[in-house]
Amino acid sequence: MDLDGFVRREILGRFGHENLNTVAEFKGRVPTTENLCTQIFEILQRGFTLAHLEKVRLEETMLNSFEYSGEAQLRA
């Protein structure tokens, strides 16, 4: 299994071209960029163990982005 295939199947297949308000992962949660980034990090951390995951970064626009590095970031 390669990273590109994993991302296509587990991330894009789940969230791509979807109304995130209707996706199970966001039932009871607002699908903000921050929450989406956290969810993607958790999926990659759990499911793709062939590499070390440092962080996930999502860019909405050239001036607006969010990075998540796991729970350690929340405690700092």
Side-chain angles (χ1 to χ4, degrees):
M1 163 178 19
D2 67 335
L3 180 58
D4 288 338
F6 183 85
V7 168
R8 264 191 302 279
R9 186 177 64 256
E10 299 296 329
I11 306 298
L12 297 176
R14 186 176 299 180
F15 301 124
H17 304 290
E18 293 293 327
N19 177 347
L20 296 179
N21 289 304
T22 65
V23 176
E25 286 84 358
F26 293 105
K27 186 171 180 83
R29 279 173 72 184
V30 178
T32 62
T33 302
E34 292 87 348
N35 286 338
L36 180 59
C37 195
T38 302
Q39 189 66 41
I40 291 170
F41 183 93
E42 291 171 2
I43 291 167
L44 289 169
Q45 187 78 18
R46 264 193 327 265
F48 193 79
T49 57
L50 298 175
H52 171 74
L53 178 62
E54 288 191 22
K55 64 184 168 187
V56 169
R57 177 182 175 93
L58 289 180
E59 294 188 15
E60 288 184 328
T61 67
M62 289 175 34
L63 301 175
N64 189 21
S65 65
F66 184 78
E67 272 183 12
Y68 182 68
S69 305
E71 299 253 343
Q73 179 174 314
L74 296 176
R75 285 182 252 141

